[in-house]
Amino acid sequence: MFLLDHLWIILALPLAGAAINGLFGKRWPKSAVNSVAVGAVSLAFLAVAELVREFVRLRPDQIPYFKNYFPWMTAGPLHVDFALQVDQLSIVMLLTVSFVGMLIHIYSTGYMAHEGGYYRFFSYLNLFMFFMLTLVLAANVVVMFVGWEGVGLCSYLLIGFWFLKQSAINAGKKAFIVTRIGDFGFTVGILLLFWTFRSVDFGTIFAKAATWPAESMTQVGTLTIICLLLFTGAIGKSAQLPLYVWLPDAMEGPTPVSALIHAATMVTAGVYMVARMNPLFSRAPIAMLAVAIVGALTAFYSATIGLVQTDIKKVLAYSTVSQLGYMFLACGVGAYAAGVFHLMTHAFFKGLLFLAAGSVIHAMGGEQDMLKMGGLRKKIPVTYWTMFIATLAIAGIPGFAGFFSKDEILNAAGSGPHANVWLWGLGLVAAGLTSFYMFRLIFLTFFGQPRFDEHKVHVHESPRNMTVPLIILAILSTAGGWFAAPHLMRGTDCFESFLHPVFATYAPEHPVGQEESLSGAAASELEPGPGMELLHAVTGPPVIVGILGLLLAWWFYIKRPEVPKRLAQSLRGPYTLLLNKYYVDEIYLALIVRPLLWISTNVLWHVMDERVIDGTVNGAAMVAREAGGQVRELQSGNARSYATWVVFGAVGFTVLMLALWMVR
């Protein structure tokens, strides 16, 4: 019970690492900085592993474990404790965040070895781990909000890590401002949550919400408004339409940052929050439909942009936005376990894709344009094979992690209690596009003839501290989805079964929109046998479109490499539109940024600040100065003048006294 009673240790370890390196790391050698930073997250992972052992062994009832450490804030009816909790959902997130975070810290010791500000980078990484673990372990929405805002701060610091590079500075500010827009809605949602339930504790809120009847598709009630406001925060943090624009620009940060924050952990915070608040969302079908629609549209929209990008990290960035859309699609159709399952498998293969891309960039001397690569397959074999495995996983090829999680999501969208054929169709098309642009990345990067000067670029495999994390993540990208494999043989989906208490405890008795299920012999007659279910899974539409995407990419970039150029010329309009990302940044610049800058400059600055505020203050000072100058003239030093003023004063005072006496 040690870790269950001392959950704070998991948070204290990375926080201590951040503080020690931040305060003393500048004077230390890199080996000492490595020891503190990697040691802190490694110990945090070991603590999480021990916590999981204790939880599984000592809590057979599967009730969430709650630990209240001290009262934090009290203001009238508002009472906030610093409290942490552990349940099955937080365990999945803790294991994913701590283990992937540990691997990325190890990878960073090689990738950042020759960069300035080494101690500062690892201090920021450790600080991010502290805030992310705080978000996951929080037992109330206020502590979660601290972690939520903290990871946003660390994202800003890490995106703009190269602060002498103007594009990195702009990207950091863009990420901070855009996510603040979503966080405004999230904050209002938290306030409305407290106003409605008179508590900020998850357990109290969910228990009270369980007594509320589920709302309908024609009823916009309090729960719907709360969920939509909370989802606004998720849209910003998890880069969904229309607030996704910060994530592609965030690739200006170091590649390990992209892997840790913008693939495996921070951007999944919105998905985790929606899954955590499932007792509310499950009673608000309008909010659930909004989540599903935004997720499906984002998955499709971002996948189309990824088709034509040439920067290897930008392709992966739009892929991340698209895969996050898949997770929200799952939550929106009520398949919370499938969404969290894809969150976990995505952390494996997308973290691997980013780290492998960093290995490619490292080998190419900083080059990120895939059109200037090619022929790297035999020069960096470890990077190639691990990245190829991750691509098979994200494309949904049977046997790899992404196959199991994507299949569950699309199955829920197509035949679950909240199924919608249009959302299923968007998800299916996005799956095909994902397979195409990811194998396009593989073929452009590793196949064909080198498109760079081999005399100037000395391609070399990355050092062991970079390749070992790639190999471990490749293993997880292969085996990480097999928790769900027994389900294909009519067995138990181990992952969904593990999470069942989280999503079933406060679930409404009759989910809105759920059809009456078949029972008895009728149901058994329609259910396929174990062999047929496995056959349907490996030959179903998601697998078919994944293989079609692979074959199409092979035809375009290996068999007939001249075809893409001819196609781009013949379809110049759509190609230019996709290449310029639908001109969304330009539209935002014209409709939002420039008008706000004009108002700020010409109205708030020149009119309100300079003329009204400064004018009032400066005018009062000028009047006082002029009046003082006039009064100063009275002090002439002439005795005759002073006597004259005394006479005038005496006469004036006498007249005043007489006037008052006559009035009385």
Side-chain angles (χ1 to χ4, degrees), residues 30-105:
K30 291 180 179 178
S31 58
V33 173
N34 293 343
S35 299
V36 172
V38 178
V41 293
S42 299
L43 290 174
F45 169 69
L46 293 176
V48 169
E50 171 61 19
L51 171 67
V52 173
R53 188 192 69 82
E54 293 180 9
F55 181 84
V56 173
R57 179 182 178 184
L58 300 177
R59 302 200 64 80
D61 51 3
Q62 297 185 325
I63 297 174
Y65 183 83
F66 178 87
K67 187 67 177 179
N68 184 2
Y69 289 99
F70 55 85
W72 183 17
M73 291 184 289
T74 300
L78 174 64
H79 181 77
V80 181
D81 295 319
F82 183 79
L84 306 176
Q85 75 171 30
V86 178
D87 62 5
Q88 291 77 8
L89 178 59
S90 56
I91 280 176
V92 172
M93 289 294 295
L94 285 171
L95 286 172
T96 302
V97 170
S98 60
F99 186 68
V100 175
M102 179 183 67
L103 293 179
I104 293 173
H105 274 72

Side-chain angles (χ1 to χ4, degrees), residues 104 107-108 111-112 115 121 125 158-159 161-162 165 250-264 311-314 316 350-362 366-368 387 466 470:
I104 293 173
Y107 176 95
S108 299
Y111 190 88
M112 300 295 292
E115 298 291 341
F121 178 80
L125 278 189
L158 287 165
I159 293 170
F161 174 75
W162 288 314
K165 186 179 178 183
M251 298 303 107
E252 291 291 341
T255 300
V257 173
S258 303
L260 177 63
I261 295 183
H262 307 124
D311 186 310
I312 190 170
K313 288 179 66 175
K314 285 290 180 69
L316 297 178
K350 184 53 66 63
L352 173 56
L353 285 168
F354 268 111
L355 295 186
S359 183
V360 171
I361 295 169
H362 178 269
E367 182 60 63
Q368 296 185 196
M387 197 170 196
M466 293 174 64
L470 298 183

Side-chain angles (χ1 to χ4, degrees), residues 113-131:
H114 305 293
E115 298 291 341
Y118 191 80
Y119 77 97
R120 182 166 51 89
F121 178 80
F122 280 99
S123 178
Y124 292 165
L125 278 189
N126 276 182
L127 186 63
F128 168 81
M129 292 292 292
F130 162 73
F131 281 121

Side-chain angles (χ1 to χ4, degrees), residues 426-588:
L426 281 174
L428 185 65
V429 173
L433 297 177
T434 299
S435 178
F436 175 81
Y437 67 66
M438 285 308 306
F439 281 105
R440 169 181 177 265
L441 181 151
I442 291 292
F443 295 145
L444 284 176
T445 303
F446 295 101
F447 287 79
Q449 296 299 316
R451 296 182 294 276
F452 56 90
D453 190 340
E454 297 186 72
H455 298 289
K456 294 182 179 180
V457 181
H458 302 286
V459 180
H460 56 285
E461 186 63 270
S462 299
R464 187 174 300 176
N465 54 351
M466 293 174 64
T467 56
V468 169
L470 298 183
I471 295 170
I472 295 174
L473 286 173
I475 295 171
L476 291 174
S477 298
T478 304
W482 283 83
F483 296 103
H487 180 64
L488 300 180
M489 297 298 293
R490 296 288 300 281
T492 301
D493 184 332
C494 299
F495 191 86
E496 184 175 0
S497 176
F498 180 72
L499 289 177
H500 180 74
V502 177
F503 302 124
T505 302
Y506 298 107
E509 294 183 6
H510 301 289
V512 178
Q514 183 171 359
E515 301 293 338
E516 291 294 329
S517 60
L518 296 173
S519 60
S524 61
E525 290 176 4
L526 293 179
E527 290 180 352
M532 290 302 296
E533 190 161 338
L534 176 61
L535 181 63
H536 289 166
V538 299
T539 61
V543 176
I544 292 174
V545 297
I547 294 175
L548 286 176
L550 187 161
L551 294 175
L552 193 60
W554 173 82
W555 176 264
F556 274 14
Y557 296 99
I558 300 296
K559 183 68 174 179
R560 301 287 298 277
E562 74 280 358
V563 171
K565 293 182 180 179
R566 292 208 307 261
L567 194 60
Q569 292 175 353
S570 61
L571 298 174
R572 183 175 298 275
Y575 176 79
T576 304
L577 184 67
L578 294 179
L579 188 63
N580 289 279
K581 295 146 320 216
Y582 293 97
Y583 296 97
V584 170
D585 283 305
E586 289 78 4
I587 292 172
Y588 282 179

Side-chain angles (χ1 to χ4, degrees), residues 217 223-225 227-228 231 280-281 284-292 332:
M217 290 299 294
L223 291 180
T224 298
I225 296 173
C227 291
L228 290 176
F231 181 54
L280 304 184
F281 279 88
I286 294 177
M288 287 187 66
L289 181 61
V291 172

